[in-house]
Amino acid sequence: MAVCVSASMIPSLKSDRSTLLGAASAASISHSTKLSSLSSLQFPVRTRFLQTGSARVSSSSRPRILPVVEAKKQSFSSFDDLLANSEKPLLVDFYATWCGPCQFMVPILDEVSTRLKDKIQIVKIDTEKYPSIADKYSIAALPTFIIFKDGKPCDRFEGALTADQMIDRIEAGLNVKQ
């Protein structure tokens, strides 16, 4: 079973990657008084869709359909708290919503979670929402997987893998057999 961590669950880890729209920026975008009154709003660095009335503008004309993955939501005050209180070793998937290989891994991680449910717990960390965690573990490529055993990293690998390749890698990292 996968665990999904969101900004609402870990308030101390709010996104570092949002920009504050200052008065100067608002003035450069438009001289409208309506926009300048929005100068204290925060906007994410990347915007995926623009919704105006019934028209939808996106980078792709095709809608993206992602498989449904059963996730168990849990609240922790910090990532260190999650590591310290885990009953099983953790496989942490560092991903981003815009990353194609990361999206490819969703059904594979679901299969791995099902097959190794007694051996490991899978946790997904969105690097866009938690850049401080990504920086702490030097995440430079996506997807990056780190296996934590007893709260400490014991193995790390990057890129998309098949379910069998991932299970072999996890078992080798944990020195356990299925």
Side-chain angles (χ1 to χ4, degrees):
M1 182 168 295
V3 174
C4 182
V5 178
S6 69
S8 63
M9 287 191 250
I10 305 179
S12 64
L13 298 175
K14 294 296 184 193
S15 175
D16 295 340
R17 293 188 182 169
S18 60
T19 61
L20 187 61
L21 181 61
S25 299
S28 68
I29 293 170
S30 171
H31 295 293
S32 165
T33 57
K34 190 172 189 176
L35 274 181
S36 63
S37 70
L38 298 176
S39 63
S40 64
L41 292 179
Q42 288 188 357
F43 294 94
V45 173
R46 289 190 172 94
T47 304
R48 304 282 182 252
F49 293 103
L50 175 62
Q51 185 78 29
T52 54
S54 62
R56 182 175 171 174
V57 179
S58 74
S59 60
S60 173
S61 59
R62 304 180 292 166
R64 291 182 11 173
I65 300 172
L66 300 175
V68 177
V69 176
E70 181 183 337
K72 179 181 176 185
K73 290 192 176 189
Q74 294 179 327
S75 296
F76 295 93
S77 60
S78 70
F79 184 66
D80 293 329
D81 185 34
L82 172 69
L83 293 175
N85 294 317
S86 177
E87 298 171 4
K88 300 184 238 182
L90 295 174
L91 172 67
V92 180
D93 171 19
F94 290 92
Y95 76 100
T97 56
W98 50 263
C99 169
C102 298
Q103 300 306 318
F104 171 78
M105 291 304 297
V106 171
I108 293 169
L109 286 170
D110 191 35
E111 180 181 342
V112 169
S113 177
T114 302
R115 289 171 56 184
L116 295 179
K117 65 182 173 190
D118 296 330
K119 307 273 188 233
I120 198 161
Q121 181 179 5
I122 297 176
V123 176
K124 297 179 70 60
I125 301 288
D126 186 342
T127 57
E128 293 284 307
K129 290 182 180 177
Y130 303 105
S132 58
I133 297 174
D135 290 343
K136 179 178 180 178
Y137 294 100
S138 303
I139 305 301
L142 297 176
T144 295
F145 303 93
I146 301 178
I147 299 172
F148 290 87
K149 189 174 182 181
D150 300 322
K152 295 182 170 64
C154 67
D155 194 12
R156 175 188 182 115
F157 48 99
E158 299 171 347
L161 301 171
T162 67
D164 290 335
Q165 289 172 327
M166 182 164 276
I167 289 170
D168 289 344
R169 186 68 187 251
I170 292 167
E171 288 177 338
L174 296 176
N175 294 325
V176 296
K177 288 293 174 198
Q178 191 173 4

